Amino acid sequence: MSELSAKAQGTAICPGTFDPIHLGHLDIIERASVLFERVVVVAAAVSGKRTLFPLPEREALIRAAVAHLENVEVDSFDGLLVDCARRVGAMAIVKGLRSVDDFQHEQQMAMMNRRMLPEIDTVLLMTSPDAQYMSSSLIREIWALGGDVSEFVPPAVAEALESERHQSQQE
Ligand code: PNS
């Protein structure tokens, strides 16, 4: 194997709220799975915050979206991300960077996480251009106002949003 095609040794985690997972997230996860031997996508429990999808459903939707990626696993965490990184044996946190607006917050978190767990590094991947404007909160907003979001999300998420809409219309 040439040096260029060699994967980084070890495990990376891709954390997020994933409420719901969208194609921008998937772009980062797919690219992380090329770079690292093992990738664990970890959904944050975000206790105390209301989410559209409860944690088990967010995890199931991630699982469906990454089913084609052999070296990708799905897990969840409550509490500090560095504790989760330690638990799964990760050497890196991989996140997407959409714009300069993301940068300041990501830099701050990367530095704090490194301070708490010096063995961990944050790898920020530039989001692909066609996913640069996507965010779960905008997708939820467009969906809540009756818009079609199927071009932004994996098929399983589009179906889940559709059935959620039917359910809320019947209530
Ligand atoms: O999808 P999001 O909302 O951008 O994900 C943010 C997330 C969950 C990755 C971030 O809030 C996080 O790492 N939360 C865990 C709590 C934690 O470790 N806080 C200290 C960060 S320095």
Side-chain angles (χ1 to χ4, degrees), residues 43-85:
V46 288
S47 321
K49 251 209 298 185
R50 228 181 105 71
T51 53
L52 175 60
F53 292 108
L55 183 61
E57 198 167 353
R58 283 185 275 135
E59 268 192 81
L61 292 172
I62 300 167
R63 240 175 227 116
V66 303
H68 61 297
L69 301 168
E70 265 179 20
N71 60 339
V72 176
E73 298 161 31
V74 182
D75 202 342
S76 60
F77 74 105
D78 200 357
L80 284 176
L81 183 60
V82 286
D83 289 337
C84 168

Side-chain angles (χ1 to χ4, degrees), residues 15-19 25 42 44 46 49 77 79-82 95 98 105-106 108-110 112-113 116 136:
T17 308
F18 302 111
D19 187 35
H25 293 129
V42 288
V46 288
K49 251 209 298 185
F77 74 105
L80 284 176
L81 183 60
V82 286
K95 294 178 106 183
R98 286 168 299 194
H105 187 50
E106 292 300 341
Q108 241 180 334
M109 285 197 288
M112 288 300 249
N113 283 331
M116 289 185 281
S136 296

